[in-house]
Amino acid sequence: KLPTLTLHMEGLVEDSGDLELGVFVEKLKTLKSALREADRILHGADTDGIGLLVANLTHNSPAAVTLRPASALSGTSSSDVFEYFARTVSDLSARGGSVGNASVYLLEKILELCNGYGSRFSRMWLSNGRRDLAGFDATTRESVLAALGRTVYALGSVKGRVERYNGHGDKKYL
């Protein structure tokens, strides 16, 4: 059986738990970017990245989107990616949890998933079909902000020449 990861999203009480379409789309796009970054961390930048299919989509308040790998060949790596991403979010949800080898880009995507908690959605969490794995809430957000605040910057110099530089885009690494 192929691994799955389900994102559950619950809207605000004043909207009867229904989620705004814009929030739904935004969170799915951010989750896709976060999973691709998790794949890059685990398997390197040379891979094509995991292909994802929507295996199930429900709206029984909360809304839930279940993702699975696009092919059976990527089942093992997708399982690793799903587990790594959920464990990273879970560790951040535990106050003072470690970020392990998470990149700044992945932390920023987790922060984007947390943004809007309490004002645009009331609950959001991950499960694997059998059990809840991690949640996106105020504690997770504060842990990510603390981890990003520990980023160390240093002055220095590099000798050589720039062959090509692109200062645009989301990736903050070479």
Side-chain angles (χ1 to χ4, degrees):
K1 184 179 181 198
L2 291 174
T4 62
L5 183 70
T6 303
L7 177 67
H8 304 267
M9 297 175 274
E10 191 169 336
L12 300 172
V13 174
E14 55 265 25
D15 295 329
S16 304
D18 292 335
L19 198 61
E20 288 181 34
L21 179 61
V23 173
F24 182 75
V25 171
E26 171 191 321
K27 298 305 178 189
L28 286 178
K29 285 177 74 174
T30 304
L31 178 64
K32 178 183 174 187
S33 296
L35 290 171
R36 290 206 177 229
E37 177 62 7
D39 188 32
R40 188 201 65 78
I41 291 169
L42 291 175
H43 303 113
D46 295 337
T47 63
D48 291 335
I50 59 172
L52 299 170
L53 297 174
V54 175
N56 195 7
L57 182 63
T58 63
H59 179 274
N60 294 334
S61 194
V65 177
T66 301
L67 304 174
R68 71 169 177 83
S71 72
L73 297 175
S74 63
T76 304
S77 65
S78 296
S79 177
D80 295 346
V81 170
F82 291 167
E83 289 172 20
Y84 170 76
F85 179 68
R87 186 177 59 251
T88 301
V89 175
S90 179
D91 289 349
L92 287 164
S93 297
R95 195 168 287 282
S98 84
V99 295
N101 64 339
S103 67
V104 170
Y105 184 74
L106 180 59
L107 292 174
E108 288 173 346
K109 291 302 169 188
I110 294 171
L111 181 63
E112 284 180 41
L113 286 164
C114 294
N115 287 342
Y117 172 73
S119 61
R120 299 182 74 202
F121 64 92
S122 62
R123 284 181 60 207
M124 187 163 58
W125 70 98
L126 297 170
S127 75
N128 64 1
R130 296 178 303 279
R131 62 185 177 89
D132 293 349
L133 302 173
F136 300 92
D137 56 21
T139 303
T140 311
R141 186 177 196 288
E142 293 306 314
S143 294
V144 172
L145 288 172
L148 288 172
R150 290 192 296 257
T151 303
V152 177
Y153 297 94
L155 295 175
S157 62
V158 176
K159 189 173 183 174
R161 70 177 196 211
V162 175
E163 292 289 333
R164 181 174 55 128
Y165 173 75
N166 180 357
H168 305 288
D170 289 337
K171 293 187 179 182
K172 310 250 187 306
Y173 54 86
L174 297 174

